Each structure stands twice: as structure tokens, then as C-alpha cells.
Amino acid sequence: RQQRPQEPDLTVGCLQKRAVLHFEQGRPQDALDDAQAALLALGAPRPGQMDMALMLRGIKADALSRLGRLGPAVAEYEAVLGEVRRLGRLEQASTKTVLNQYGLALMRGGQSLKAAEAFGQSVTMSLAQGDPTLVDIPAQTNLARTLVETGRGAQAPPHFEQALGNAQRTGARRMIASVALSAGVVACDLGDLPRCAALLELGAGHLSAMLPAGNAGLAAINILRARLALARGVPQEAAEQTQRALALYGDTAASAPLRAQALALLAQVQLQQGDAPASLVSAQQAVQLARTAFADFPTSAPLGRTLLVLGQAQQATGQADAARRSGLEARRQLDAAAGPDAPLAVQARNWMATF
């Protein structure tokens, strides 16, 4: 850059390559800095520079997402997809990658409806090629998850089964574990407890063989064990498993979304145990964490879930007015982010009808 300032394209190219290297080596802030510097050096892209501009904006979005700045990341992905649409390039293979990353940022931000749409577009593009093994496995897994979250659970099992089959063909332990545990959560929520237990064992076996004891990634096993125990009516085991997950998550900003959901689960368990005061404390902590973790978005499904649990704990401790307010806010959050047909939105409406 210093020796050949008269060649801005060279500068942009060097910054782009270094940004990719930073990202691949786990330095998202450095990747973001280089991507922004390259975009500044590029200025208003000429027709021949549009591919580079889109690539740089994609790196910027990925870095923002990795840093947990989900609101700005989503805005950047939407800008990239808007430009791709304007250029008539929606059918290009690279668009699927952007859609997958966009959907992931939306899902992490609790935007279930939009995430399902993004993953659906990506999977549909892949299936149109006529070979189901070409479908991105995480994208199909996440599509199935968001279909369930938005009240279209009947459409999810074929996607889970195809994703799991494709993952097993790869032999990649992490991929198999991820699909199996995600499918297990859904099976548990849908009441298919034998299937949930089988998927739990499959996922836990692969993940435990990969990760050292104490790794935060193992918390996914504890959370599913807790959900299964709660569904089986064994709240003591559910409480123990949830507490183990919370210990693995640690007290970091990055783990806040997961801790919020774990605390909401713990509050549910404590209600089943008949300990309403403890449930209220856990639910209040969950809501506080969720408000911070999902502050980039006006509404989010995870915040709605924590508010619903808070309302139930408030009702159990005799705080009817506070419970009603929490329930109303939970409905607003869930209807907007996950849709009125989402299981949690239906649950919130049914519960509010008891007042």
C-alpha cells in the first residue's frame, strides 16, 4: 500500500486476502477492519469491481456476525442480497452461502420467521439441482429447526432425516452431532421421547468423543438431557443437567443468549418442582440476559420465551398483574419474531386465556 499507492486495486486485493486469512484464523475484528479498509479504498465500485465489492461486504457481514453484532450483520447481509437481486445473480452458488450465513445470524438473533425464509431459499436452490446430497447440511438442519419454531413442524422431519443421512455419509463427527442434537430437541418438544433419546445418544457419543471435558460445546448434551428429563416428569434430573450446562457456558457475553435460554428452562423445571420463588429468580435472570443479548432487534423469539416463563412464575407467586403484563409482552415478541402459529405463541395465547 505504501510503495504502490497509485494501484488501488492491488491494495484492495491485498486487504481482501488478509481479511479472509484473519477470519479463517479466528480474528474477526481484524477481518472486519481489513474489509472496511478495502471498501473505503475501493470507493464506488465500477462494473468490473462489483464482485470484489460484494465479496468484501460478505466478509464484513460474516465478521460482524462472528463478533456477535447481529443487527449490523443482518443489515449487511440484506444489503448484499439486495445488490445480488438487482444484478440478477440470485441463482449463483455464492448466493446460497450468503443466504446460509444470513439465516444463521437471524436464527441466533431469534428471528425465526426470517431465518426460515432464508434457509428455505437456500435449500430450495440446492434441491433444484436434482441431487439431495448437494444440500448444505447445516442449512437444512436449521431450516427444519426454524420450521418447527414457526409452527410448521409437520414439514421438518424429512429435512432432519435427509440432513442426518447426509451428515452420516460424510463421517464428520461434529456435523453428525450437530444434526442429531438439533433433531433431538425438536423430537422432545414434539413429544416423541423415544426418538429424542435415540438422537441424544447419537449426538452425545460423537460430540463427547471430539471435545475435552469442560468444553462449553458439551452443554448442548446437558440441555437436551434436561429437556428429556422434564418431558419424562423427572424434574430433579432436569435441574441437575441444566445447572451443569450453565456451569459449562460460563459467565461471558458470548454465552449470554444460551445462558438466557438455559435459565428459562431451569425456571420451568423449578415450577414443576413446586419451587415458585426460585423459578421467579431464574426467570428474572433469563429475561434480563435475553434483553441484553437480543437488543439489536425490536422483537425476538428467545426473549418472548423467557417472558412467558417469567409470567408463569409471577402467576405462581401471586403476582397476577405482573404476570399479565409479561404474558402480553411475550405474545408481542413471539407473534412478531416467530409468527402467531409458533408453538410458543400458541402456548402464550392459551395461557393468557386462563386469566
Side-chain angles (χ1 to χ4, degrees):
R1 292 172 68 181
Q2 294 173 348
Q3 295 176 0
R4 298 163 72 175
Q6 73 281 6
E7 299 182 46
D9 285 354
L10 178 64
T11 297
V12 170
C14 288
L15 286 168
Q16 181 268 331
K17 289 180 173 61
R18 193 170 70 175
V20 171
L21 183 63
H22 283 317
F23 190 81
E24 291 176 347
Q25 294 182 344
R27 297 187 296 273
Q29 185 59 58
D30 291 334
L32 177 62
D33 292 343
D34 275 353
Q36 289 177 319
L39 284 166
L40 183 63
L42 187 64
R46 299 187 301 275
Q49 297 174 315
M50 191 56 67
D51 286 342
M52 176 61 78
L54 290 172
M55 191 183 307
L56 288 167
R57 297 194 72 172
I59 295 169
K60 178 181 176 182
D62 290 344
L64 287 166
S65 183
R66 184 75 63 84
L67 289 166
R69 295 167 60 184
L70 298 178
V74 164
E76 198 67 35
Y77 285 126
E78 289 176 346
V80 171
L81 289 168
E83 189 62 22
V84 168
R85 188 176 295 108
R86 187 186 70 81
L87 294 170
R89 299 182 181 180
L90 281 175
E91 301 305 316
Q92 290 187 350
S94 58
T95 303
K96 288 191 296 183
T97 302
V98 178
L99 283 167
N100 293 341
Q101 295 303 109
Y102 172 51
L104 186 60
L106 287 166
M107 189 171 72
R108 289 172 56 207
Q111 310 302 297
S112 304
L113 275 175
K114 287 186 173 182
E117 182 180 355
F119 291 128
Q121 289 180 43
S122 170
V123 170
T124 298
M125 289 170 65
S126 295
L127 290 175
Q129 297 176 322
D131 184 354
T133 63
L134 296 177
V135 178
D136 183 81
I137 295 170
Q140 192 161 30
T141 303
N142 291 331
L143 171 61
R145 284 180 58 183
T146 50
L147 285 172
V148 173
E149 290 171 3
T150 55
R152 292 168 283 178
Q155 301 175 35
H159 288 293
F160 270 131
E161 294 306 319
Q162 185 173 304
L164 184 57
N166 286 343
Q168 289 175 316
R169 274 189 287 273
T170 70
R173 284 188 177 276
R174 185 179 292 277
M175 192 75 73
I176 296 169
S178 175
V179 178
L181 293 175
S182 292
V185 169
V186 170
C188 200
D189 287 348
L190 294 177
D192 189 350
L193 302 190
R195 181 62 173 157
C196 176
L199 289 164
L200 168 59
E201 292 311 309
L202 175 63
H206 283 284
L207 201 59
S208 298
M210 286 180 52
L211 301 178
N215 188 284
L218 295 171
I221 299 172
N222 300 110
I223 290 296
L224 185 48
R225 284 179 177 156
R227 285 176 177 266
L228 182 58
L230 185 62
R232 286 172 168 170
V234 190
Q236 183 58 42
E237 181 184 350
E240 291 171 359
Q241 292 292 337
T242 308
Q243 293 285 12
R244 289 175 190 171
L246 285 165
L248 287 171
Y249 287 142
D251 187 14
T252 66
S255 71
L258 296 171
R259 282 186 290 131
Q261 296 309 294
L263 283 165
L265 177 59
L266 181 60
Q268 288 179 280
V269 172
Q270 290 164 330
L271 272 181
Q272 194 175 94
Q273 290 176 309
D275 192 348
S279 175
L280 179 62
V281 171
S282 296
Q284 288 170 333
Q285 293 173 343
V287 169
Q288 183 178 3
L289 271 175
R291 288 197 190 282
T292 301
F294 302 101
D296 280 353
F297 302 95
T299 60
S300 76
L303 176 55
R305 178 186 175 222
T306 62
L307 285 162
L308 176 57
V309 176
L310 174 61
Q312 292 167 338
Q314 288 167 329
Q315 184 184 44
T317 52
Q319 303 176 53
D321 289 342
R324 188 177 293 105
R325 288 193 296 272
S326 295
L328 287 171
E329 188 180 356
R331 282 187 57 182
R332 182 180 69 83
Q333 295 278 338
L334 291 164
D335 284 352
D341 295 327
L344 283 173
V346 173
Q347 182 184 341
R349 281 200 303 277
N350 292 340
W351 175 68
M352 289 293 292
T354 65
F355 280 88

